[in-house]
């Protein structure tokens, strides 16, 4: 079953298309990064999923339930808003007690202790007002998972955090892998690269990508080689006439970056060419594209 599925989901504000024809698919159990620049439509999507905004068109299903039919599905979601606010005079423990009271949890004490430990605030006796942003964000996540919901929706949990706070928060999110589905928005590519199984990219309200990181790496493998030889010029002269060579450019003193059509073919052919031309091979490396390369390609060229 899909944890989140949307069909043609759209939200217009007057003439502004904040989200347009969104077809999201988030399988259960994955950490899903919803990546997009400021104003792309991330928060609007999340508000639609939580029924905080009414869609102009389209439908959404959460864990199989059509969200327009009943609000019961909301119980299965833990939510962290974009700008969480807390009562500064509470300690972390008091705050979680307060949340458990208003959400009607029975005997929450053990659970609260567990949550405080998980987000490493169990030893923290000070008031929330004195916390760093990272600590507040961790407390926000503790609040979201207090009732142990199967799906977490987090709106930019790492923005506004310094590298250390970001790492703490990402590690915490990553620790839910396999246990919960996590859908979190971000404009930081590195976040996705570090912990996500899947990624959706939203650009100007439209989903331009929804795929697993593994698939992306496979399908966008560039077939790029770096080789270093004693006579780079001579080698390039020979290679330029071969049809399996797509592109090449010299780097440094003796290096060549080579894009090939068929990697295996290149691997088999090169040794023979080098030997025939009496060229000495000093270095040989396969270059995998980074996620950044892939994303830039997808966002600029479509798939
Ligand atoms: N209530 C609203 N009324 C009018 N326009 C809105 C409203 N909410 C959002 N928008 C517009 O819809 C677009 C998408 O906004 P949204 O907040 O979803 O983006 P976002 O991806 O969350 O951006 P950010 O990274 O800045 O949080 C923006 O152009 C925004 O100005
Ligand atoms: Mg937003």
């Amino acid at each position: 079953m899909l944890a989140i599925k949307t069909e043609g989901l759209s939200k217009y504000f007057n003439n502004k298309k904040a989200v347009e024809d969104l077809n999201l698919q988030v399988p259960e159990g994955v950490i899903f990064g919803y990546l997009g620049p400021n104003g792309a439509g991330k928060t609007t999507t999340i508000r639609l999923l939580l029924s905080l905004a009414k869609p102009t068109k389209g439908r959404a299903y959460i864990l199989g339930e059509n969200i327009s039919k009943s609000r019961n599905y909301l119980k299965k979601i833990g939510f962290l808003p974009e700008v969480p606010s807390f009562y500064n005079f509470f300690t972390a423990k008091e705050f979680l007690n307060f949340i458990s009271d208003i959400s009607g949890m029975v005997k929450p004490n053990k659970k609260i202790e567990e949550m405080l430990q998980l987000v490493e605030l169990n030893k923290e006796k000070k008031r929330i007002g004195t916390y760093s942003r990272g600590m507040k964000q961790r407390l926000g996540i503790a609040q979201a998972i207090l009732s142990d919901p199967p799906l977490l929706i987090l709106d930019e949990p790492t923005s506004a955090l310094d590298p250390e706070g970001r790492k703490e928060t990402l590690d915490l999110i990553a620790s839910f892998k396999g246990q919960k589905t996590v859908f979190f928005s971000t404009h930081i590519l590195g976040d996705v690269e570090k912990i996500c199984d899947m990624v959706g990219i939203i650009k100007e309200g439209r989903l331009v990508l929804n795929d697993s990181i593994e698939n992306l790496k496979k399908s966008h493998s560039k077939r790029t080689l770096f080789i270093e030889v004693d006579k780079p010029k001579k080698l390039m002269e020979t290679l330029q006439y071969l049809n399996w060579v797509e592109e090449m450019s010299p780097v440094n003193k003796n290096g060549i970056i080579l894009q090939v059509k068929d990697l295996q073919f290149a691997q088999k052919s090169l040794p023979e060419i080098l030997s025939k031309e009496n060229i000495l091979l000093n270095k040989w490396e396969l270059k995998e594209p980074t996620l950044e390369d892939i994303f830039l390609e997808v966002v600029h060229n479509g798939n």
Side-chain angles (χ1 to χ4, degrees):
M1 189 175 29
L2 291 168
I4 301 175
K5 182 181 173 197
T6 69
E7 290 173 350
L9 194 67
S10 310
K11 179 70 183 176
Y12 306 160
F13 296 105
N14 300 321
N15 290 327
K16 167 87 200 170
K17 293 180 175 177
V19 169
E20 169 76 340
D21 195 24
L22 202 71
N23 296 301
L24 259 179
Q25 299 209 347
V26 180
E28 267 184 293
V30 303
I31 311 271
F32 189 101
Y34 194 42
L35 185 70
N38 291 136
K42 302 182 294 296
T43 299
T44 304
T45 305
I46 288 175
R47 291 182 58 220
L48 290 167
L49 294 176
L50 294 168
S51 298
L52 293 169
K54 197 171 176 305
T56 310
K57 280 192 283 190
R59 281 169 301 280
Y61 301 85
I62 301 271
L63 294 159
E65 282 180 57
N66 183 335
I67 69 168
S68 67
K69 300 276 185 246
S70 141
R71 292 173 69 83
N72 272 340
Y73 78 97
L74 288 170
K75 290 194 187 112
K76 298 181 187 156
I77 301 177
F79 170 51
L80 179 71
E82 195 165 22
V83 188
S85 69
F86 304 98
Y87 293 111
N88 285 335
F89 50 85
F90 279 144
T91 64
K93 191 172 177 170
E94 286 165 352
F95 175 68
L96 292 187
N97 261 310
F98 170 70
I99 294 292
S100 67
D101 284 348
I102 56 175
S103 54
M105 279 174 73
V106 185
K107 296 199 179 161
N109 287 350
K110 198 168 150 245
K111 191 78 200 171
I112 289 175
E113 257 340 292
E114 238 178 77
M115 288 306 114
L116 288 172
Q117 251 172 41
L118 184 71
V119 302
E120 296 177 12
L121 291 171
N122 50 319
K123 301 218 170 72
E124 195 51 63
K125 302 283 182 249
K126 291 204 280 292
R127 293 176 195 282
I128 297 170
T130 67
Y131 285 10
S132 69
R133 282 180 162 171
M135 290 164 82
K136 283 186 185 168
Q137 214 61 322
R138 289 191 337 250
L139 179 60
I141 293 174
Q143 160 275 130
I145 56 175
L146 193 58
S147 61
D148 205 16
L151 171 62
L152 287 184
I153 296 183
L154 315 172
D155 197 358
E156 302 228 27
T158 62
S159 64
L161 298 181
D162 62 16
E164 197 181 337
R166 216 154 84 215
K167 182 172 183 321
E168 288 169 3
T169 306
L170 288 174
D171 287 349
L172 180 61
I173 295 172
S175 75
F176 302 137
K177 205 169 262 196
Q179 297 172 36
K180 294 186 184 298
T181 310
V182 184
F183 178 89
F184 77 96
S185 69
T186 180
H187 60 267
I188 306 165
L189 178 67
D191 288 2
V192 173
E193 200 154 14
K194 282 192 194 91
I195 63 165
C196 291
D197 309 302
M198 288 192 73
V199 60
I201 300 183
I202 182 168
K203 192 184 162 195
E204 292 164 13
R206 286 181 168 275
L207 197 66
V208 293
L209 180 86
N210 185 145
D211 207 346
S212 72
I213 302 286
E214 201 185 332
N215 270 348
L216 276 174
K217 286 199 166 162
K218 256 192 232 151
S219 61
H220 287 264
S221 169
K222 267 285 188 209
R223 303 171 305 271
T224 302
L225 295 169
F226 170 78
I227 45 183
E228 205 177 274
V229 292
D230 64 340
K231 295 181 232 68
K233 218 171 144 220
K234 186 171 178 194
L235 180 59
M236 284 180 71
E237 276 165 15
T238 311
L239 292 178
Q240 68 178 321
Y241 299 110
L242 303 178
N243 62 7
W244 53 267
V245 177
E246 225 162 44
E247 249 181 82
M248 60 184 162
S249 47
V251 277
N252 303 332
K253 199 162 150 260
N254 288 322
I256 302 171
I257 294 270
L258 206 58
Q259 304 253 5
V260 297
K261 287 197 178 112
D262 179 338
L263 183 61
Q264 284 202 345
F265 191 82
Q267 282 175 295
K268 283 182 197 150
S269 311
L270 265 172
E272 200 180 315
I273 294 168
L274 293 167
S275 146
K276 201 166 141 225
E277 301 292 328
N278 199 23
I279 296 171
L280 188 70
L281 179 68
N282 289 321
K283 212 173 183 181
W284 153 280
E285 236 175 61
L286 272 179
K287 287 222 167 300
E288 276 301 309
T290 61
L291 267 189
E292 186 172 0
D293 297 336
I294 297 171
F295 287 170
L296 287 175
E297 190 182 318
V298 171
V299 171
H300 288 141
N301 309 331
N303 277 303

